[in-house]
PDB file of all heavy atoms in Angstrom:
ATOM      1  N   TYR A 959       2.138  -2.545 -25.826  1.00  0.00           N
ATOM      2  CA  TYR A 959       0.927  -2.253 -25.049  1.00  0.00           C
ATOM      3  C   TYR A 959      -0.051  -1.400 -25.852  1.00  0.00           C
ATOM      4  O   TYR A 959      -1.270  -1.542 -25.740  1.00  0.00           O
ATOM      5  CB  TYR A 959       1.301  -1.545 -23.746  1.00  0.00           C
ATOM      6  CG  TYR A 959       0.117  -1.277 -22.844  1.00  0.00           C
ATOM      7  CD1 TYR A 959      -0.660  -2.321 -22.347  1.00  0.00           C
ATOM      8  CD2 TYR A 959      -0.230   0.021 -22.490  1.00  0.00           C
ATOM      9  CE1 TYR A 959      -1.742  -2.078 -21.512  1.00  0.00           C
ATOM     10  CE2 TYR A 959      -1.319   0.274 -21.670  1.00  0.00           C
ATOM     11  CZ  TYR A 959      -2.067  -0.784 -21.190  1.00  0.00           C
ATOM     12  OH  TYR A 959      -3.142  -0.542 -20.376  1.00  0.00           O
ATOM     13  N   TYR A 960       0.485  -0.513 -26.691  1.00  0.00           N
ATOM     14  CA  TYR A 960      -0.357   0.320 -27.553  1.00  0.00           C
ATOM     15  C   TYR A 960      -1.243  -0.565 -28.437  1.00  0.00           C
ATOM     16  O   TYR A 960      -2.448  -0.351 -28.566  1.00  0.00           O
ATOM     17  CB  TYR A 960       0.532   1.229 -28.405  1.00  0.00           C
ATOM     18  CG  TYR A 960      -0.197   1.934 -29.526  1.00  0.00           C
ATOM     19  CD1 TYR A 960      -0.966   3.072 -29.276  1.00  0.00           C
ATOM     20  CD2 TYR A 960      -0.125   1.449 -30.832  1.00  0.00           C
ATOM     21  CE1 TYR A 960      -1.644   3.709 -30.308  1.00  0.00           C
ATOM     22  CE2 TYR A 960      -0.796   2.086 -31.872  1.00  0.00           C
ATOM     23  CZ  TYR A 960      -1.554   3.211 -31.597  1.00  0.00           C
ATOM     24  OH  TYR A 960      -2.222   3.845 -32.614  1.00  0.00           O
ATOM     25  N   TYR A 961      -0.634  -1.590 -29.044  1.00  0.00           N
ATOM     26  CA  TYR A 961      -1.390  -2.490 -29.908  1.00  0.00           C
ATOM     27  C   TYR A 961      -2.304  -3.407 -29.092  1.00  0.00           C
ATOM     28  O   TYR A 961      -3.395  -3.768 -29.528  1.00  0.00           O
ATOM     29  CB  TYR A 961      -0.444  -3.307 -30.785  1.00  0.00           C
ATOM     30  CG  TYR A 961       0.235  -2.477 -31.846  1.00  0.00           C
ATOM     31  CD1 TYR A 961       1.555  -2.063 -31.704  1.00  0.00           C
ATOM     32  CD2 TYR A 961      -0.476  -2.066 -32.982  1.00  0.00           C
ATOM     33  CE1 TYR A 961       2.159  -1.270 -32.670  1.00  0.00           C
ATOM     34  CE2 TYR A 961       0.128  -1.277 -33.948  1.00  0.00           C
ATOM     35  CZ  TYR A 961       1.443  -0.879 -33.781  1.00  0.00           C
ATOM     36  OH  TYR A 961       2.030  -0.079 -34.739  1.00  0.00           O
ATOM     37  N   MET A 962      -1.860  -3.767 -27.895  1.00  0.00           N
ATOM     38  CA  MET A 962      -2.677  -4.608 -27.032  1.00  0.00           C
ATOM     39  C   MET A 962      -3.981  -3.898 -26.670  1.00  0.00           C
ATOM     40  O   MET A 962      -5.062  -4.494 -26.667  1.00  0.00           O
ATOM     41  CB  MET A 962      -1.901  -4.989 -25.764  1.00  0.00           C
ATOM     42  CG  MET A 962      -2.658  -5.944 -24.849  1.00  0.00           C
ATOM     43  SD  MET A 962      -1.673  -6.432 -23.409  1.00  0.00           S
ATOM     44  CE  MET A 962      -0.536  -7.592 -24.171  1.00  0.00           C
ATOM     45  N   LYS A 963      -3.883  -2.598 -26.353  1.00  0.00           N
ATOM     46  CA  LYS A 963      -5.085  -1.832 -26.026  1.00  0.00           C
ATOM     47  C   LYS A 963      -6.024  -1.738 -27.224  1.00  0.00           C
ATOM     48  O   LYS A 963      -7.247  -1.788 -27.085  1.00  0.00           O
ATOM     49  CB  LYS A 963      -4.714  -0.422 -25.554  1.00  0.00           C
ATOM     50  CG  LYS A 963      -4.198  -0.356 -24.132  1.00  0.00           C
ATOM     51  CD  LYS A 963      -4.297   1.032 -23.545  1.00  0.00           C
ATOM     52  CE  LYS A 963      -3.488   2.031 -24.341  1.00  0.00           C
ATOM     53  NZ  LYS A 963      -3.551   3.389 -23.742  1.00  0.00           N
ATOM     54  N   LYS A 964      -5.451  -1.583 -28.433  1.00  0.00           N
ATOM     55  CA  LYS A 964      -6.284  -1.471 -29.628  1.00  0.00           C
ATOM     56  C   LYS A 964      -7.042  -2.773 -29.899  1.00  0.00           C
ATOM     57  O   LYS A 964      -8.189  -2.759 -30.363  1.00  0.00           O
ATOM     58  CB  LYS A 964      -5.417  -1.127 -30.841  1.00  0.00           C
ATOM     59  CG  LYS A 964      -4.862   0.294 -30.828  1.00  0.00           C
ATOM     60  CD  LYS A 964      -4.166   0.643 -32.120  1.00  0.00           C
ATOM     61  CE  LYS A 964      -5.124   0.776 -33.263  1.00  0.00           C
ATOM     62  NZ  LYS A 964      -4.470   1.257 -34.508  1.00  0.00           N
ATOM     63  N   ILE A 965      -6.386  -3.888 -29.570  1.00  0.00           N
ATOM     64  CA  ILE A 965      -6.992  -5.190 -29.858  1.00  0.00           C
ATOM     65  C   ILE A 965      -7.944  -5.616 -28.738  1.00  0.00           C
ATOM     66  O   ILE A 965      -9.084  -6.033 -28.988  1.00  0.00           O
ATOM     67  CB  ILE A 965      -5.900  -6.255 -30.053  1.00  0.00           C
ATOM     68  CG1 ILE A 965      -5.087  -5.931 -31.308  1.00  0.00           C
ATOM     69  CG2 ILE A 965      -6.503  -7.658 -30.143  1.00  0.00           C
ATOM     70  CD1 ILE A 965      -3.827  -6.739 -31.445  1.00  0.00           C
ATOM     71  N   ASN A 966      -7.480  -5.508 -27.503  1.00  0.00           N
ATOM     72  CA  ASN A 966      -8.245  -6.038 -26.369  1.00  0.00           C
ATOM     73  C   ASN A 966      -9.102  -5.008 -25.664  1.00  0.00           C
ATOM     74  O   ASN A 966      -9.906  -5.358 -24.807  1.00  0.00           O
ATOM     75  CB  ASN A 966      -7.291  -6.669 -25.343  1.00  0.00           C
ATOM     76  CG  ASN A 966      -6.550  -7.853 -25.915  1.00  0.00           C
ATOM     77  OD1 ASN A 966      -7.027  -8.502 -26.839  1.00  0.00           O
ATOM     78  ND2 ASN A 966      -5.380  -8.144 -25.378  1.00  0.00           N
ATOM     79  N   GLY A 967      -8.902  -3.720 -25.992  1.00  0.00           N
ATOM     80  CA  GLY A 967      -9.620  -2.686 -25.264  1.00  0.00           C
ATOM     81  C   GLY A 967      -8.954  -2.434 -23.927  1.00  0.00           C
ATOM     82  O   GLY A 967      -7.833  -2.872 -23.664  1.00  0.00           O
ATOM     83  N   ARG A 968      -9.659  -1.719 -23.036  1.00  0.00           N
ATOM     84  CA  ARG A 968      -9.106  -1.391 -21.719  1.00  0.00           C
ATOM     85  C   ARG A 968      -8.855  -2.673 -20.935  1.00  0.00           C
ATOM     86  O   ARG A 968      -9.750  -3.501 -20.764  1.00  0.00           O
ATOM     87  CB  ARG A 968     -10.078  -0.494 -20.953  1.00  0.00           C
ATOM     88  CG  ARG A 968      -9.521  -0.019 -19.622  1.00  0.00           C
ATOM     89  CD  ARG A 968     -10.569   0.752 -18.863  1.00  0.00           C
ATOM     90  NE  ARG A 968     -10.817   2.050 -19.465  1.00  0.00           N
ATOM     91  CZ  ARG A 968     -10.152   3.155 -19.151  1.00  0.00           C
ATOM     92  NH1 ARG A 968      -9.184   3.098 -18.246  1.00  0.00           N
ATOM     93  NH2 ARG A 968     -10.438   4.296 -19.721  1.00  0.00           N
TER      94      ARG A 968
END
Side-chain angles (χ1 to χ4, degrees):
Y959 183 61
Y960 168 79
Y961 290 102
M962 184 177 285
K963 283 200 300 182
K964 289 187 70 174
I965 294 168
N966 297 334
R968 185 185 288 271

